[in-house]
Amino acid sequence: MIITKTREEIELMRESALIVSKTLGMLASEVKPGVTTLHLDKLAEEFIRDHGAIPGFLGLYDFPNTLCMSPNAQVVHGIPNDTPLEEGDIISIDCGAIKNDFYGDHAYTFPVGEVSEDVARLLRITKESLYVGIAEFKVGNRVGDVGYAIQKFTEDAGYGVVRELVGHGIGRKMHEDPEMPNYGRRGRGKKFVEGMVVAMEPMTNMGTHRIKQLRDGWTILTADGKPSAHFEHDVAIIDGKPEILSTFKYIYQALGIESDEEDAFRQELLAV
Ligand code: MG
Ligand code: MG
């Protein structure tokens, strides 16, 4: 059952999403060669609690940490550990927080130092695919329209779309209906309605879309050992159109990256 949110609830969810955005922004300046994912996890937990929120993943389905940290060939759900990051790695940092009883949940894949051109392209295409998907999240469309758009964009770029893990509705629970696959067929699946809020999260593999799971019961990695990227935004439908509740702007500020991608996206939506 899809639980739609009122305008007031969506504003509360924006607060939750922005706590995650700020956490990712704080982490952006800490991601560098030599740092361990466990250290970053501790920083994130402290930051979230200092902002009057609760880590959203810690203890959820018995997950042991605040962040899912998935380097290189790990797709998602990696557990922080004491292995230092190395120059040329990529690290997907997925973070959740609860504020005012609502969850925020979003993710960014960071390059560690300089990465190869191939890997930089994987990051760029995966992030772009997120916006391609969000643009289809509007009243009148269906789940399959988002999935189709992301899959087509990703496969046209020569990459694999992970099937087994999907985006999801979000609210007072981390995972609500509907499931939001990053693949699909136009016109299929549940219809989008005003007040829906979802976490959209393409997971894109440089090689095969196939995955495997480590014996820890959590870590998902690519079957061929090639890198995988993951970007996630929380998005609501307001006045029939997608409104991104989370933001990457704190990350860009921390890294000194000039980007108007979110504003440009909004302008484009207004234009149609
Ligand atoms: Mg997430
Ligand atoms: Mg999610």
Side-chain angles (χ1 to χ4, degrees):
M1 189 189 64
I2 292 170
I3 304 166
T4 58
K5 279 80 183 174
T6 63
R7 285 290 182 97
E8 291 73 22
E9 288 172 327
I10 289 173
E11 286 318 306
L12 293 177
M13 291 199 69
R14 193 193 302 272
E15 268 189 56
S16 311
L18 288 179
I19 284 172
V20 181
S21 304
K22 288 173 187 167
T23 307
L24 293 175
M26 177 276 295
L27 292 170
S29 16
E30 304 288 337
V31 170
K32 50 189 119 172
V35 165
T36 70
T37 49
L38 204 52
H39 173 69
L40 297 174
D41 186 77
K42 292 294 160 232
L43 291 180
E45 177 173 357
E46 226 175 83
F47 186 91
I48 290 168
R49 294 195 193 280
D50 284 351
H51 284 73
I54 302 166
F57 296 168
L58 187 63
L60 184 72
Y61 315 117
D62 291 328
F63 189 75
N65 291 86
T66 294
L67 301 174
C68 291
M69 300 287 261
S70 311
N72 303 323
Q74 295 188 8
V75 179
V76 286
H77 301 168
I79 298 175
N81 61 29
D82 53 12
T83 307
L85 295 172
E86 287 179 25
E87 178 84 20
D89 283 350
I90 53 172
I91 177 81
S92 153
I93 303 185
D94 193 351
C95 181
I98 310 165
K99 171 100 179 175
N100 304 315
D101 291 330
F102 284 103
Y103 277 91
D105 169 24
H106 75 120
Y108 193 89
T109 301
F110 294 87
V112 182
E114 286 288 317
V115 300
S116 73
E117 240 171 72
D118 280 4
V119 168
R121 179 177 182 266
L122 174 71
L123 298 183
R124 181 171 55 78
I125 294 286
T126 308
K127 179 149 63 68
E128 280 176 25
S129 80
L130 173 57
Y131 292 103
V132 166
I134 292 171
E136 298 294 321
F137 182 55
K138 55 190 177 189
V139 169
N141 271 6
R142 291 174 182 269
V143 167
D145 295 308
V146 167
Y148 172 84
I150 294 174
Q151 181 178 17
K152 176 149 190 2
F153 184 82
T154 304
E155 291 181 348
D156 283 355
Y159 298 141
V161 173
V162 173
R163 308 290 202 274
E164 292 82 350
L165 298 128
V166 296
H168 49 93
I170 183 168
R172 287 191 166 86
K173 291 205 172 125
M174 170 71 80
H175 297 115
E176 295 185 354
D177 280 342
E179 289 198 340
M180 296 287 294
N182 299 302
Y183 60 92
R185 296 171 66 181
R186 279 205 178 286
R188 299 295 179 94
K190 290 190 179 150
K191 240 187 185 168
F192 298 138
V193 295
E194 183 72 15
M196 275 179 81
V197 185
V198 301
M200 210 179 286
E201 48 181 319
M203 290 155 254
T204 303
N205 297 350
M206 188 178 275
T208 178
H209 67 79
R210 292 184 197 285
I211 53 152
K212 52 190 183 182
Q213 189 170 32
L214 284 188
R215 286 213 187 88
D216 64 15
W218 282 104
T219 312
I220 304 291
L221 64 172
T222 58
D224 59 8
K226 291 186 179 168
S228 182
H230 174 220
F231 290 84
E232 179 177 25
H233 266 319
D234 297 336
V235 193
I237 295 184
I238 299 179
D239 293 333
K241 289 185 176 180
E243 165 80 11
I244 305 175
L245 304 180
S246 46
T247 178
F248 295 144
K249 76 175 182 205
Y250 298 107
I251 295 172
Y252 298 146
Q253 276 170 15
L255 299 179
I257 296 172
E258 296 261 349
S259 171
D260 67 344
E261 69 187 26
E262 289 165 19
D263 292 336
F265 179 78
R266 282 188 193 101
Q267 291 305 320
E268 240 172 77
L269 280 178
L270 289 174
V272 284

